[in-house]
Amino acid sequence: MPVEPLSQKEIEDRLAELPGWSLDRDRLFRSYRLGSHFAATAMVVHIAQVQEELNHHSDLTLGYNTVSLAVHTHSAGGAVTEKDFELARRVEDLAPGHGAH
């Protein structure tokens, strides 16, 4: 089943429900700060598990005590789709358990 790109209005409406997330060029983007490198690493592993469950993967960057994600849907020509927002919501749900803000 093909994934359809979201309109600019749909993206803006969905972003309003995800504080901290933004549209950076053609990708959804969010950066989190954590208490330590170990906590950031644990969050990356948890995100990787979710991405495998969804079969949808972001560009995931681990810093000393930061985790950043940039996501769009390759199969939709690099556009933002509902799959990207599903991943963003799942990451938002797990972030507090890692002490991310």
Side-chain angles (χ1 to χ4, degrees):
M1 175 160 105
V3 181
E4 295 297 318
L6 296 174
S7 71
Q8 188 66 32
K9 172 83 167 97
E10 290 171 318
I11 292 169
E12 290 168 4
D13 290 347
R14 285 170 175 76
L15 281 174
E17 299 170 6
L18 287 169
W21 286 84
S22 62
L23 186 65
D24 184 14
R25 290 184 227 140
D26 63 344
R27 297 169 187 241
L28 296 184
F29 179 80
R30 172 79 199 256
S31 187
Y32 296 92
R33 183 167 303 280
L34 293 98
S36 68
H37 182 67
F38 186 79
T41 302
M43 185 170 167
V44 165
V45 171
H46 199 168
I47 292 169
Q49 179 183 14
V50 169
Q51 291 180 144
E52 285 297 306
E53 289 171 13
L54 296 175
N55 192 28
H56 190 57
H57 302 83
S58 68
D59 291 334
L60 189 54
T61 305
L62 171 65
Y64 169 70
N65 66 341
T66 60
V67 174
S68 299
L69 294 91
V71 61
H72 63 176
T73 303
H74 295 282
S75 63
V80 174
T81 69
E82 187 56 45
K83 289 178 78 168
D84 303 310
F85 280 98
E86 182 179 358
L87 176 58
R89 282 189 291 274
R90 292 281 302 271
V91 171
E92 279 299 296
D93 289 345
L94 68 83
H98 292 277
H101 56 276

